[in-house]
Amino acid sequence: MDSQDSQSACQLPDQGRAFSTVLTAFVGSIVNGATNGCLVAFMTGWISWLAVLRVLSGALIGLYQAFSSSYAKLEQEQVSTSRPADEIAMEERGLIPETSQGVAHGESKDGTKAWLSGIQRPQHSSIKTMNKRLRQEVTVFGWIGWLYTAVYSPIVQVLWLAENWTAASGPLKIVRAFAISIAALSLTIDTKKRYAIKLRETKYLGSPACVAFKIINGVSAFGMGIMCAALLIKGAIDTSLEWYIIVVYCIFSVIWAAASFSICPVQDGGIKGFGLIGDVLMGAFAGIFLAAPAFAVMQTAESPTLSAGGFSTPESGPASLQSYLSCDSVAVWQKFVAIFP
């Protein structure tokens, strides 16, 4: 193989570039189900294709809650009183009914609530019924889910952008934005404030770890939202989408964001599902639909012609994925983003 063929063998086609995007969508949905419950996995299944506005606004709301005085007051109240943690979480959501004293916590004297979103959330007569849906425990699976969505995913997405910003096709950029939003959405549904409090209570970590946790949560969600928006814009430009398609997409993004906030507002607490097996199955079921656009791009992309050996490249043209991974001139991080979600 001459130098031109060698250089060609180390170029990955869109079919190979789409492989990690399929995994990102499918694996991200399973992680959502396992760590946040089947309802969150279901919600991300229908929000993620129109999720940019929800992710960006949810990240800002989460940061506001994490560092605002009202958020700190709730933390103090949880420590200093015997009120259950799930009841306080319900109060954050606005689902606490009016008390017999006349004015519930968070209401002004005239009985109106100062909603951050400006929209009154529904009141329910039974706290106990709604409390059963909240997942307030600090678990190992919760930590794993947080590490995946708030630490691992942003790093991998930045590396993918560095490798594929100019090389990937327009459709692939668009479906990658859908895949990234799956991880970002879970951070805007459950802020995991209880995990930050747990870190603050540890002997050796304390308040610095608590603050760092909150910052990582908000910055990761907002950063992935920016990446989603950038990929959608660049993908639309590269694909030369008609202007009316972009307008319709923006309109439905606003509708989807408003609907999602009314069903799953930013809160401290996941949603209990059907147990680990049921939650994982729901995540896998939703992941099939979420990975479908990326899989379609992978199937329609032009694939390299294989030789008799099955893995070599043609005399000219990009390499197959396996040939690309065996190429010595490709950096390790480039191989990593080609196969890992």
Side-chain angles (χ1 to χ4, degrees):
M1 182 180 291
D2 57 26
S3 59
Q4 183 178 0
D5 293 335
S6 177
Q7 182 180 5
S8 177
C10 295
Q11 296 176 354
L12 192 62
D14 263 359
Q15 190 175 67
R17 295 180 191 279
F19 177 75
S20 67
T21 301
V22 174
L23 290 181
T24 298
F26 186 72
V27 173
S29 182
I30 292 178
V31 172
N32 267 344
T35 61
N36 295 305
C38 62
L39 181 59
V40 174
F42 175 77
M43 289 290 295
T44 56
W46 66 269
I47 301 175
S48 61
W49 294 355
L50 297 150
V52 173
L53 184 59
R54 161 73 200 224
V55 171
L56 292 175
S57 57
L60 293 177
I61 293 173
L63 279 172
Y64 173 84
Q65 288 184 347
F67 294 99
S68 67
S69 58
S70 60
Y71 200 75
K73 184 177 180 180
L74 286 174
E75 290 182 0
Q76 182 179 2
E77 184 175 4
Q78 183 172 344
V79 174
S80 61
T81 70
S82 59
R83 294 177 64 206
D86 54 357
E87 183 175 325
I88 294 178
M90 293 294 295
E91 193 166 357
E92 291 175 350
R93 295 186 62 186
L95 298 178
I96 295 290
E98 294 187 5
T99 62
S100 58
Q101 284 76 14
V103 179
H105 178 77
E107 292 186 3
S108 61
K109 293 182 179 180
D110 60 355
T112 59
K113 282 185 175 290
W115 299 112
L116 182 61
S117 62
I119 300 176
Q120 177 76 27
R121 292 184 174 89
Q123 298 284 323
H124 293 261
S125 58
S126 175
I127 299 174
K128 293 181 180 180
T129 300
M130 294 297 297
N131 281 349
K132 293 178 181 179
R133 298 179 58 193
L134 288 176
R135 176 181 287 175
Q136 285 279 302
E137 303 86 359
V138 175
T139 65
V140 174
F141 275 109
W143 280 114
I144 294 174
W146 180 80
L147 288 172
Y148 178 85
T149 56
V151 180
Y152 169 83
S153 287
I155 295 174
V156 171
Q157 307 315 329
V158 169
L159 293 176
W160 192 93
L161 283 177
E163 171 66 11
N164 296 280
W165 180 253
T166 57
S169 65
L172 181 55
K173 290 185 178 75
I174 292 174
V175 297
R176 186 71 184 194
F178 298 159
I180 294 175
S181 66
I182 298 170
L185 276 169
S186 64
L187 296 175
T188 70
I189 294 176
D190 180 6
T191 62
K192 287 185 168 59
K193 181 189 76 171
R194 59 201 182 279
Y195 288 78
I197 295 175
K198 191 72 174 179
L199 287 174
R200 189 180 61 186
E201 293 172 350
T202 57
K203 181 178 180 181
Y204 298 104
L205 299 176
S207 296
C210 175
V211 173
F213 182 94
K214 295 176 181 179
I215 293 175
I216 292 173
N217 240 29
V219 170
S220 295
F222 192 77
M224 285 191 285
I226 292 294
M227 284 187 274
C228 290
L231 283 169
L232 287 174
I233 294 172
K234 186 67 164 61
I237 294 173
D238 293 347
T239 314
S240 300
L241 287 180
E242 298 291 342
W243 66 268
Y244 60 86
I245 297 178
I246 299 174
V247 172
V248 170
Y249 183 88
C250 293
I251 292 173
F252 274 93
S253 293
V254 175
I255 297 174
W256 249 238
S260 69
F261 277 122
S262 66
I263 298 173
C264 278
V266 181
Q267 63 183 12
D268 173 34
I271 307 296
K272 290 182 179 179
F274 305 124
L276 180 60
I277 296 178
D279 294 343
V280 170
L281 289 177
M282 175 57 78
F285 178 75
I288 294 174
F289 294 95
L290 295 171
F295 185 76
V297 170
M298 186 173 71
Q299 291 298 104
T300 56
E302 184 178 354
S303 60
T305 304
L306 301 180
S307 68
F311 299 116
S312 61
T313 60
E315 293 183 357
S316 63
S320 66
L321 179 59
Q322 186 162 343
S323 297
Y324 177 81
L325 295 176
S326 63
C327 188
D328 294 334
S329 63
V330 178
V332 174
W333 70 269
Q334 292 174 307
K335 297 178 181 180
F336 180 86
V337 298
I339 58 175
F340 281 89

